[in-house]
Amino acid sequence: MRRYLISRFIQMLPVAVVVSFLVFSATLLLPGDPAVTILGEQSTQAQRLALRQQMGLDRSIPEQYLRWLGRMLSGDFGASLSTQEPVAQMIRNRTPVTVELSILSVIFGVLVGIPAGVVAAVKRNTWIDVAASLTAMTGLAIPYFWAGILLIMVFSVHLGWLPSSGYVPFFVDPVANLKAMLLPAITLGSGLAALIMRQTRTSMLEVLSADYIRTARAKGAREPRVVLHHGLRNALLPVITVIGLQIGTLLGGAVVTETVFSLSGLGRMIVEGIFQRDFPSIQGAILVIVFSILVVNLLTDLSYFVLDKRISR
Amino acid sequence: MLAYPNNADAVPATVTDAEGRADAAATPPLLRVQDLRVEFATDRGRIIAVDDVSFTLRPAQTVGIVGESGCGKSVTSLAIMGLLAAGTGRVASGEIMLRRRSGAWSDLVKLPRTQLPDIRGDEIAMIFQEPMTSLNPLHTVGDQIAEAVFLHRGAGRAEALERAAEMLARVGIPQPRQRLGAYPHELSGGMRQRVMIAMALSCEPSILIADEPTTALDVTIQAQIIELFRSLQDSSQMATLFITHDLGVIAEVAHRVLVMYAGQVVEEGSVVEILKRPKHPYTRGLIASVPRLDRPERGQARFFTIPGQIPEPGRRPPACRFMPRCAHAEVGICDAAPPPLEALPDGGSIRCVKWRSIETAPHA
């Protein structure tokens, strides 16, 4: 277990280097000149040149990268080009929103997807199975922005039950916070729920034909116990893999969802940064997201040890 | 003539008429299977997997069912357990009468499906062929044994685990208390099969169904498991239905034997009659097929094999199902009508219209 952990950390290092270089260079490839953004269209060529020199934009790309990496590692993410606000502070303010949105979406996906998958597997080839699978297909096919807009129209505009925007920190007012986060979480979690449902159904079907399920029935366990106590835990391993792998997609969806619901999270920070050519804030937000994905993947792998004792030996 | 090599001495010396493993016919039966017929729904229509199977099982008695793969022996046992794959397999006719602990009789075919879990693992327990995959990989063996006790005795966790440790000791697992926390992957195949047996016996069932319990094990481990079965037989009144294709195993454990072929019983009798004086050409072929290292003699092949293959359920010959493979088959007699199961004076039965003339024919 410890050896595995150490080797996993060593494996993460080259990934981290490659990813950080990609994040750094992606902003170089974006069209547009940050000097123009800062100084405005009316600035002179000399002013722009001076600013570029000051920012180090005239140096070679490897040199820019190393200097940038050094600053990142020391926790200095720079300041936003448009608001002068330190990027580290922006990340601190916005990360809780995205983290809460992701966690609530995963909870929604798990609470809906796993029971639906289990029921579809147990009642396979019945109308219940067909209905669940069709709903899942729909959930997968609907784009986030459209699902978000539909939910706002129904629950905010027509029914007036839930707000369409406005974030309240959880520790300030938990009820208002959850009310504001419910529609975004459903928007972002519905695709995940569909994927979880399909994976649960598939692995549950496989598990239910296993010999040890027959053993469980032979010793007198009734069907609910056979399915939940003996089947589900065995069926969950591939489901957890899917959830772990989907965290990346989920954070991508967070960009859209936060924009639709005007939540100031990391996703919206990226969108705003792109529109304003605000390189430091784009880089900071993307780095945080990418490293969260690496950490989540590590946690996913570690969860196998807890769930399946065979792996730890 | 082409007859079967006389292989009667392939039967271990343990099987003797004097040993007293003859049928305890006086005791009332525990299980009476009558005219059992099991059908499977397949893409190509309905298939009769088991046809017209009848037998009784008495306390402390072991009935062996032998036959090649696909003869219907496992299907018979799953039908008794009510574990035929839901939606595809079903008992089409016949009855499976079980004498309950209360003394009342229940027909397991007619019993509501919701009542079957009360019987499974409590009154009838079953162990399977594949010990490597028959245990849940994510639960400790202690919990898996204790579960049966918990389900049927309502015991608390500590009490159920205590019983599990007791059972592990009884099936010969050393340091049973420490093994309670072991996961199946930490145990060898033989140990896992012992765990399966411990689980099956934990509620002291009146009937144990063992479906090829030694087939997947190494020969030395097989012998240990067979020894365990014999000691369990001696120490309890439990009846056992022992399913195997291995005549050597049958010789070791069974009192009575059912020989099945293509979904039917072709011969039934005491283990001594079946192994020493087989009457049906198929039984004679099976016994002749037991490999003999000691007898590659007089130009005889070391291995005798029955020619041909067991027919698929949809392509069984209309009359005698063994006819295409039978050395004694006679056109006009054997293909005239399905042979009935004929009762024999010694209590056995046989499904062959020519058995009398075959019996008088000399062996090889």
Side-chain angles (χ1 to χ4, degrees):
Chain A
M1 169 99 182
R2 178 178 301 171
R3 267 180 57 193
Y4 175 80
L5 260 182
I6 293 172
S7 78
R8 267 306 307 260
F9 272 117
I10 294 174
Q11 280 171 30
M12 270 173 73
L13 277 180
V15 178
V17 169
V18 170
V19 160
S20 65
F21 184 75
L22 284 177
V23 169
F24 164 77
S25 56
T27 52
L28 296 179
L29 298 175
L30 275 181
D33 184 348
V36 178
T37 313
I38 295 170
L39 299 171
E41 296 289 340
Q42 315 302 321
S43 55
T44 65
Q45 194 63 31
Q47 280 174 314
R48 291 178 194 170
L49 212 65
L51 185 65
R52 290 169 66 101
Q53 220 160 24
Q54 187 197 328
M55 291 171 67
L57 293 177
D58 58 336
R59 296 174 200 256
S60 73
I61 286 175
E63 200 185 339
Q64 282 191 49
Y65 169 67
L66 287 177
R67 285 160 59 99
W68 174 82
L69 192 65
R71 275 190 277 116
M72 292 290 139
L73 288 177
S74 63
D76 174 11
F77 290 86
S80 161
L81 298 184
S82 54
T83 62
Q84 307 307 317
E85 189 186 357
V87 171
Q89 190 187 319
M90 290 169 72
I91 289 172
R92 259 199 308 280
N93 290 340
R94 287 157 175 261
T95 300
V97 180
T98 305
V99 167
E100 190 190 346
L101 177 62
S102 312
I103 290 175
L104 289 177
S105 304
V106 172
I107 290 175
F108 175 79
V110 166
L111 286 185
V112 173
I114 289 181
V118 169
V119 170
V122 172
K123 306 272 180 199
R124 67 178 172 284
N125 300 333
T126 64
W127 68 268
I128 298 175
D129 181 20
V130 174
S133 297
L134 277 178
T135 313
M137 295 283 239
T138 316
L140 275 177
I142 293 181
Y144 293 117
F145 75 90
W146 197 57
I149 291 168
L150 272 182
L151 287 172
I152 289 175
M153 277 169 59
V154 174
F155 291 98
S156 307
V157 179
H158 285 291
L159 298 171
W161 290 353
L162 294 163
S164 66
S165 65
Y167 178 77
V168 185
F170 183 80
F171 294 105
V172 173
D173 184 350
V175 176
N177 167 277
L178 288 179
K179 269 179 135 177
M181 294 302 273
L182 189 58
L183 291 184
I186 293 173
T187 304
L188 189 53
S190 56
L192 186 64
L195 270 176
I196 291 176
M197 179 264 159
R198 285 158 60 101
Q199 182 59 56
T200 305
R201 180 183 181 275
T202 306
S203 56
M204 199 72 198
L205 278 179
E206 194 184 317
V207 163
L208 284 180
S209 64
D211 286 350
Y212 55 81
I213 293 295
R214 189 181 55 186
T215 305
R217 291 190 178 121
K219 69 175 136 179
R222 288 172 187 279
E223 276 314 287
R225 187 177 174 87
V226 169
V227 170
L228 298 177
H229 186 74
H230 290 277
L232 185 56
R233 206 166 138 197
N234 280 287
L236 275 186
L237 282 178
V239 176
I240 285 166
T241 309
V242 164
I243 297 174
L245 289 174
Q246 281 303 309
I247 294 295
T249 315
L250 198 71
L251 290 170
V255 173
V256 177
T257 309
E258 285 173 3
T259 308
V260 171
F261 289 93
S262 318
L263 294 170
S264 20
L266 290 173
R268 214 160 141 232
M269 181 169 157
I270 294 173
V271 174
E272 286 165 359
I274 289 171
F275 283 135
Q276 291 160 12
R277 310 265 178 275
D278 190 351
F279 290 179
S281 66
I282 299 172
Q283 284 171 335
I286 289 182
L287 266 190
V288 170
I289 285 178
V290 164
F291 280 92
S292 324
I293 292 172
L294 286 181
V295 170
V296 167
N297 283 342
L298 181 65
L299 289 178
T300 309
D301 286 1
L302 292 184
S303 72
Y304 300 153
F305 288 95
V306 181
L307 281 163
D308 192 344
K309 295 290 182 299
R310 280 171 297 181
I311 297 173
S312 47
R313 280 157 232 262
Chain B
M1 69 176 285
L2 197 161
Y4 305 109
N6 179 5
N7 213 358
D9 52 334
V11 178
T14 48
V15 179
T16 61
D17 296 277
E19 204 204 8
R21 270 211 281 146
D23 193 13
T27 48
L30 270 172
L31 182 76
R32 218 179 53 231
V33 174
Q34 197 67 46
D35 303 328
L36 182 70
R37 181 185 177 118
V38 179
E39 292 179 349
F40 281 88
T42 69
D43 297 337
R44 285 173 296 167
R46 245 183 309 165
I47 277 176
I48 299 163
V50 167
D51 199 3
D52 199 16
V53 168
S54 303
F55 64 93
T56 54
L57 194 55
R58 296 168 199 281
Q61 187 189 45
T62 296
V63 170
I65 302 185
V66 268
E68 292 166 90
S69 321
C71 70
K73 52 194 198 299
S74 288
V75 170
T76 304
S77 63
L78 290 174
I80 295 169
M81 289 295 280
L83 287 177
L84 292 169
T88 55
R90 68 180 192 101
V91 175
S93 61
E95 47 182 36
I96 302 170
M97 299 299 294
L98 172 71
R99 183 153 58 92
R100 307 291 296 271
R101 281 199 210 280
S102 61
W105 287 86
S106 293
D107 184 352
L108 301 185
V109 177
K110 295 208 182 74
L111 209 65
R113 283 192 83 85
T114 51
Q115 286 183 31
L116 289 176
D118 292 334
I119 294 174
R120 288 186 207 132
D122 186 15
E123 300 192 46
I124 309 180
M126 184 161 180
I127 54 177
F128 300 96
Q129 177 174 354
E130 214 17 278
M132 305 315 262
T133 54
S134 290
L135 290 165
N136 191 324
L138 300 187
H139 295 237
T140 63
V141 299
D143 282 339
Q144 296 191 53
I145 300 170
E147 186 182 8
V149 185
F150 157 75
L151 286 170
H152 297 294
R153 298 281 178 272
R157 186 178 152 86
E159 196 188 324
L161 281 173
E162 186 58 35
R163 174 73 177 158
E166 199 181 296
M167 292 313 299
L168 286 179
R170 193 159 148 213
V171 297
I173 290 186
Q175 299 174 304
R177 222 159 281 277
Q178 284 89 312
R179 292 301 170 92
L180 286 179
Y183 286 88
H185 70 268
E186 297 168 318
L187 304 177
S188 65
M191 282 293 160
R192 290 187 210 188
Q193 198 58 292
R194 283 173 197 266
V195 169
M196 285 296 292
I197 296 170
M199 187 191 298
L201 301 184
S202 59
C203 295
E204 293 176 345
S206 43
I207 297 171
L208 174 68
I209 300 176
D211 187 359
E212 305 247 10
T214 58
T215 306
L217 303 173
D218 289 345
V219 181
T220 49
I221 309 296
Q222 271 185 21
Q224 292 172 11
I225 297 290
I226 293 295
E227 201 42 57
L228 173 62
F229 267 104
R230 294 184 59 135
S231 75
L232 292 169
Q233 280 178 336
D234 293 343
S235 63
S236 80
Q237 282 294 101
M238 183 177 72
T240 308
L241 186 62
F242 203 106
I243 291 152
T244 181
H245 64 267
D246 187 336
L247 287 165
V249 172
I250 282 290
E252 295 282 344
V253 300
H255 301 110
R256 292 194 74 79
V257 181
L258 255 71
V259 182
M260 286 189 71
Y261 183 79
Q264 288 178 321
V265 174
V266 292
E267 186 169 4
E268 196 256 328
S270 73
V271 67
V272 179
E273 282 300 319
I274 296 285
L275 295 183
K276 294 253 180 185
R277 291 178 286 279
K279 296 177 181 63
H280 196 284
Y282 178 63
T283 316
R284 290 159 71 113
L286 275 185
I287 292 170
S289 310
V290 176
R292 302 297 306 274
L293 282 177
D294 54 325
R295 289 201 342 177
E297 58 183 46
R298 288 195 298 277
Q300 243 179 36
R302 182 167 297 182
F303 295 103
F304 175 83
T305 52
I306 305 174
Q309 282 158 2
I310 197 162
E312 283 176 48
R315 295 186 187 162
R316 288 172 181 151
C320 173
R321 294 179 183 178
F322 186 58
M323 186 186 167
R325 303 173 71 186
C326 182
H328 303 278
E330 212 170 304
V331 175
I333 297 176
C334 296
D335 55 359
L341 195 65
E342 183 185 338
L344 296 170
D346 63 2
S349 46
I350 180 160
R351 192 187 297 275
C352 175
V353 289
K354 288 193 68 190
W355 72 270
R356 283 187 183 81
S357 60
I358 296 167
E359 197 176 39
T360 53
H363 280 296

